[in-house]
Amino acid sequence: MRRATGCTEFRTVGAPSRRELRRLGGLSLLGLSLPQLLRAQEAKQQPAISGGAFGRAKRCILLFMWGGPSQLETWDMKPEAPAEVRGEFHPISTNVPDIHISEHFPRLARRTDRLCLVRSMTHGNADHTTSTSFLLTGQPPVAGGDLRAQWPNMGSVLAALGRGGGALPPLVQMRPTVPGDVPRFVEQSQGQFAGWLGPAHDPLTIDDDPNAAEYHVPNMELSPELTIERLESRMQLMAQLDRQIARTSAALAAKEESHRRAFELLTSAATGRGAFNLEEEPEAVRERYGRNPHGQSVLQARRLIERGVPLVTVFWPNDGIKNVSVYWDTHSRNFIDHRERLMPAADLAFSALLDDLEQRGMFEDTLVVWTGEFGRTPRVGQRNSDAGAGADGRDHWPGCFTTVLAGGPFKRGFVYGRSDKHAAFPAENPVSPSDLVATLYHALGVPARQVLPDTNGRPQFVRPGTAIDELFG
């Protein structure tokens, strides 16, 4: 994989400056609390949003196609464009009149009446590992390598707000990796963790391949010589020691919370370890999702959200295939890889998830998001950066791409926004990632002026942008 340099950042819409935040905090001395002031300000500034959309969703599965899927090969085809733009694939009809998608999404074409396609996503950052911050947090990437200076993942915000509960952590991310010497770029991507919210709200990260026979989640099994009673005794002693010091140490307070969750995971077979036992699923169900790392990761995500996990992120796996194109980063082999390696597995898993949520009565209060960090160049072989593209590839392109939404309060069988004739830039209703994330937060019941303290106790606004009313049904 080659990476483009440079970073064009969006200013967060609607967030007060630090000076304004200090001013609002100071006004509490006059008898008004900061929350009261924020509610009043929100009532004045926020546009009316469709009734019933706020907080209608209880949970979210984010299918992150890391590497940047080509909008022209998937959701936003341009059959009338010149051959070097439209590429080799053909559009097919869906079960919604006037909506056409790629021929290599045949199952999703039969389920388009459950999808909401946003074809006008756009930002200005063509770097894989920093542009992910936009989609995972709604905020621009942070310069430097300090993890705790980064903006918190949406799931970490939900965790800090007390969502979830029980043995399972409130945020889980799947990053399956097949053994091999292919570089693991996902791990370097911004926006995966809790950032300035602190380590107590970091996700449980699973790098194991759930399709492998030996799949297991690290630290989920007790040593043979360690009984639950002995473990409980150790935890009580550790908690007493930690609490004595945690009063003056945020890091130790976070450590104590991590120990508590680890103990619950180890001792709760029903909601803890059992959630990760894919062998409990009928073989026919596992086949419907696809017996591959991505399909089984999506199945694992479904098992987690139905046990109370508010947000699960499924990153596209590092599948161990070593060529110039890894993940969805198709600098070369664009058509071969989309046709043979990428789209069939994505089509299978996404379709199976939609069916499962519908059959289990979870579709109405579950959000599903299918996206990458950006799209691909509108011309095959076009060199957009120092990365370049081969004669059969497309380069990085954040100017226009498609994000797909489903479930919860989102409209169904609906297309929002429109790209230009080459799918290069939005021609109508451009959508920034900050507004997309604000829309997800709105559906999940996070107020527009939500404030959370960072590790130094300073209040920070966590919800960016403005929710898009037109996406709600």
Side-chain angles (χ1 to χ4, degrees):
M1 184 195 73
R2 306 179 183 91
R3 289 165 46 188
T5 58
C7 171
T8 301
E9 299 180 355
F10 280 97
R11 180 178 63 83
T12 301
V13 179
S17 65
R18 291 185 182 274
R19 178 179 298 177
E20 183 181 2
L21 187 58
R22 288 196 297 269
R23 179 181 65 81
L24 290 172
L27 287 176
S28 63
L29 299 175
L30 302 177
L32 290 175
S33 68
L34 179 59
Q36 287 173 322
L37 288 164
L38 293 176
R39 282 194 294 270
Q41 189 176 20
E42 179 180 347
K44 290 189 299 181
Q45 294 186 2
Q46 287 298 310
I49 300 292
S50 295
F54 183 81
R56 191 161 130 194
K58 297 178 181 177
R59 58 192 81 86
C60 177
I61 294 178
L62 173 56
L63 306 177
F64 204 100
M65 307 295 109
W66 197 97
S70 169
Q71 67 278 19
L72 287 150
E73 270 69 68
T74 55
W75 304 104
D76 192 11
M77 309 192 76
K78 301 294 182 181
E80 304 303 321
E84 65 272 17
V85 172
R86 69 173 184 264
E88 298 178 3
F89 298 170
H90 301 284
I92 57 173
S93 299
T94 70
N95 63 354
V96 180
D98 301 325
I99 297 182
H100 297 78
I101 62 175
S102 174
E103 62 184 315
H104 299 296
F105 277 161
R107 294 175 179 83
L108 288 168
R110 297 193 293 271
R111 295 163 176 83
T112 303
D113 58 345
R114 301 183 218 168
L115 304 179
C116 179
L117 278 60
V118 183
R119 285 177 170 166
S120 54
M121 292 294 301
T122 184
H123 62 78
N125 186 331
D127 186 287
H128 288 297
T129 59
T130 55
S131 63
T132 51
S133 178
F134 287 121
L135 278 302
L136 295 172
T137 74
Q139 301 283 11
V142 175
D146 184 359
L147 178 64
R148 295 303 158 201
Q150 295 178 17
W151 286 93
N153 184 281
M154 286 184 286
S156 296
V157 170
L158 296 177
L161 291 173
R163 305 291 179 88
L168 291 167
L171 171 60
V172 177
Q173 58 182 15
M174 305 289 297
R175 307 185 309 192
T177 300
V178 174
D181 59 350
V182 177
R184 298 176 63 179
F185 295 108
V186 169
E187 285 84 339
Q188 305 168 29
S189 299
Q190 281 200 30
Q192 299 179 65
F193 297 96
W196 48 255
L197 280 175
H201 304 303
D202 278 343
L204 170 66
T205 300
I206 303 173
D207 288 334
D208 271 27
D209 175 8
N211 191 47
E214 65 276 11
Y215 169 61
H216 72 284
V217 180
N219 303 318
M220 288 292 292
E221 298 293 335
L222 288 171
S223 301
E225 71 278 3
L226 185 61
T227 65
I228 290 179
E229 290 73 20
R230 288 182 63 189
L231 177 64
E232 186 172 20
S233 177
R234 290 184 183 183
M235 284 299 302
Q236 290 174 349
L237 178 60
M238 187 179 297
Q240 291 174 4
L241 294 173
D242 284 349
R243 279 195 293 270
Q244 291 176 10
I245 310 173
R247 297 186 184 92
T248 57
S249 171
L252 277 174
K255 184 179 179 182
E256 181 187 359
E257 174 65 14
S258 297
H259 286 158
R260 183 188 67 79
R261 287 195 177 277
F263 175 75
E264 290 183 354
L265 278 168
L266 283 169
T267 57
S268 176
T271 59
R273 287 170 290 161
F276 302 100
N277 183 11
L278 297 185
E279 295 297 327
E280 292 182 353
E281 295 287 341
E283 186 59 31
V285 172
R286 300 193 72 178
E287 291 287 344
R288 279 200 297 112
Y289 277 85
R291 289 309 300 255
N292 55 69
H294 177 66
Q296 298 305 293
S297 293
V298 178
L299 175 58
Q300 176 68 91
R302 190 266 286 161
R303 289 177 61 83
L304 289 169
I305 64 163
E306 67 183 348
R307 286 166 173 79
V309 177
L311 193 146
V312 181
T313 302
V314 177
F315 289 100
W316 189 262
N318 184 333
D319 52 18
I321 299 175
K322 190 172 185 179
N323 53 41
V324 182
S325 169
V326 294
Y327 302 96
W328 289 74
D329 194 27
T330 53
H331 290 290
S332 67
R333 295 170 51 94
N334 179 69
F335 303 107
I336 294 174
D337 280 352
H338 273 88
R339 181 175 61 245
E340 298 178 4
R341 181 171 66 88
L342 302 169
M343 295 180 67
D347 184 50
L348 199 64
F350 195 178
S351 299
L353 178 62
L354 293 172
D355 291 348
D356 254 7
L357 294 176
E358 192 82 62
Q359 292 163 9
R360 292 165 186 268
M362 299 172 66
F363 193 73
E364 294 292 334
D365 57 8
T366 302
L367 305 182
V368 182
V369 184
W370 191 102
T371 191
E373 64 271 31
F374 44 58
R376 312 304 296 186
T377 47
R379 288 180 181 272
V380 179
Q382 180 177 348
R383 293 182 178 274
N384 176 52
S385 66
D386 58 358
D392 59 346
R394 297 187 192 262
D395 196 7
H396 307 171
W397 190 261
C400 191
F401 60 105
T402 298
T403 292
V404 181
L405 309 171
F410 293 126
K411 289 180 179 176
R412 303 178 186 182
F414 181 68
V415 175
Y416 182 78
R418 181 172 59 84
S419 63
D420 62 20
K421 62 182 181 180
H422 290 172
F425 298 100
E428 182 180 283
N429 295 327
V431 175
S432 71
S434 63
D435 288 346
L436 175 73
V437 172
T439 304
L440 300 177
Y441 272 136
H442 186 85
L444 289 163
V446 179
R449 294 290 179 170
Q450 180 67 57
V451 172
L452 287 172
D454 63 19
T455 51
N456 293 313
R458 297 171 300 194
Q460 304 280 356
F461 287 90
V462 295
R463 179 175 146 177
T466 303
I468 303 170
D469 183 41
E470 292 87 347
L471 294 177
F472 298 128

